[in-house]
Amino acid sequence: MRYYVVDAFTDELFKGNQAGVCLLDDVLPAEVMQSIAAENNLAETAFIVKRDGYYDLRWFSPEVEIDLCGHATLASAFIVSSFVDPGAETLRFETMSGPLLVTRKQGLFEMDFPTRRPEPVELTPLMSQAIGLPVLEAHLSRDLLLLVESEQQVRELVPDFALMQQIPNCFAVVVTAPGDAAAALGDAVTAPGGQVDFVSRFFAPGAGVPEDPVTGSSHCTLIPFWAERLQKDQLVARQLSKRGGTLYCENRGERVKIAGKAVLYLQGEILL
């Protein structure tokens, strides 16, 4: 099968989040796709099958199948529009999370995802111990969102993954804070690498992803959370991993728009 590695949410090689993209002629058994994802050892590997007018899309981490993945969806759209359906402006993917549309707009790939609005939950000592910081608030959807005070704290935190895996009832932990500009001015500079509305980091050690470089799916929760806090629907976010990435976000009520760029790193073949 044709295989690609894409750096998503960036236009620079070796930045953003890596995703493997496999173009299939037909569906493979789930255990084979899981083995390929484990062999690739990227945060996610996407598997695409072309249908009549749409594409089937599934995502696998090295350990488990994932119900929603932003950066691998962006990478898939980039590969389809580059090598399968050149020039396509809108792509429809059928996924475990329902139909997902990706639209090319002014050099960005804009994804239309479901909102995952978080609900407040009780703070526990384990939450602060796991990230080594005082937690101001905790909110839960699929992921546990932990609010801390500053961008600098998010950037510099060193998590305890063993403790993190003891936190019950969450797939992953997202640590977030207002961007420096948002904290000071209530607005944001939208240039990549500049000041942004909010920042985050994402940890899913139980899924074989200790830290994900840039995570689209977590922004299904972060966007409604920060849109309400900052009283604005157009937001720019930065994920503060070592590789880093910029996400252009829009709150649309029951849906969110998440946009970013992508660049091709590798293309080749997987031999089965």
Side-chain angles (χ1 to χ4, degrees):
M1 73 186 70
R2 287 179 288 170
Y3 175 64
Y4 305 85
V5 177
V6 175
D7 292 338
F9 294 115
T10 183
D11 57 2
E12 294 182 66
L13 283 175
F14 314 122
K15 301 291 185 180
N17 200 355
Q18 299 166 291
V21 180
C22 296
L23 296 181
L24 309 181
D25 293 327
D26 208 345
V27 176
L28 288 174
E31 59 268 23
V32 175
M33 291 189 283
Q34 185 64 74
S35 294
I36 292 170
E39 187 83 1
N40 292 344
N41 201 32
L42 300 172
E44 260 80 35
T45 298
F47 296 85
I48 305 171
V49 179
K50 185 175 183 179
R51 303 299 189 190
D52 186 13
Y54 67 94
Y55 296 85
D56 284 329
L57 173 61
R58 294 173 73 174
W59 313 277
F60 288 79
S61 81
E63 299 288 339
V64 296
E65 185 170 8
I66 302 297
D67 66 341
L68 184 64
C69 179
H71 82 280
T73 302
L74 191 158
S76 297
F78 174 79
I79 292 301
V80 168
S81 66
S82 298
F83 298 101
V84 181
D85 192 3
E89 294 296 320
T90 300
L91 299 168
R92 176 183 160 201
F93 296 101
E94 289 293 334
T95 76
M96 190 184 297
S97 292
L100 303 177
L101 297 180
V102 182
T103 304
R104 295 183 67 172
K105 287 186 175 181
Q106 299 175 339
L108 297 173
F109 290 88
E110 182 183 77
M111 302 178 289
D112 185 317
F113 274 19
T115 294
R116 288 178 164 172
R117 199 176 307 278
E119 297 294 335
V121 294
E122 183 179 355
L123 289 173
T124 68
L126 181 59
M127 295 174 185
S128 294
Q129 292 165 6
I131 66 170
L133 290 172
V135 176
L136 303 180
E137 299 176 22
H139 299 254
L140 183 65
S141 58
R142 179 196 71 173
D143 308 322
L144 179 65
L145 184 156
L146 301 180
L147 177 66
V148 299
E149 185 174 353
S150 72
E151 179 176 323
Q152 182 177 351
Q153 286 182 324
V154 175
R155 189 185 304 276
E156 296 176 356
L157 76 89
V158 179
D160 184 321
F161 293 125
L163 288 178
M164 190 170 285
Q165 291 186 78
Q166 296 176 28
I167 300 174
N169 303 321
C170 69
F171 170 76
V173 173
V174 182
V175 183
T176 188
D180 288 343
L185 305 173
D187 205 349
V189 177
T190 60
Q195 297 168 312
V196 296
D197 291 294
F198 65 90
V199 298
S200 68
R201 288 171 68 186
F202 179 94
F203 308 99
V209 185
E211 180 168 7
D212 195 37
V214 194
T215 315
S217 61
S218 67
H219 286 75
C220 295
T221 296
L222 287 161
I223 292 169
F225 178 83
W226 284 110
E228 182 177 350
R229 292 289 173 114
L230 300 177
Q231 291 297 293
K232 58 189 299 189
D233 289 328
Q234 302 284 342
L235 301 148
V236 181
R238 183 79 179 166
Q239 198 155 325
L240 297 178
S241 64
K242 183 177 180 179
R243 292 173 65 96
T246 302
L247 305 93
Y248 301 90
C249 309
E250 183 179 357
N251 181 49
R252 298 290 294 270
E254 295 306 310
R255 307 288 294 183
V256 295
K257 298 289 184 75
I258 304 168
K261 298 181 179 181
V263 61
L264 181 65
Y265 168 67
L266 177 151
Q267 57 182 321
E269 293 180 329
I270 292 176
L271 307 177
L272 295 181

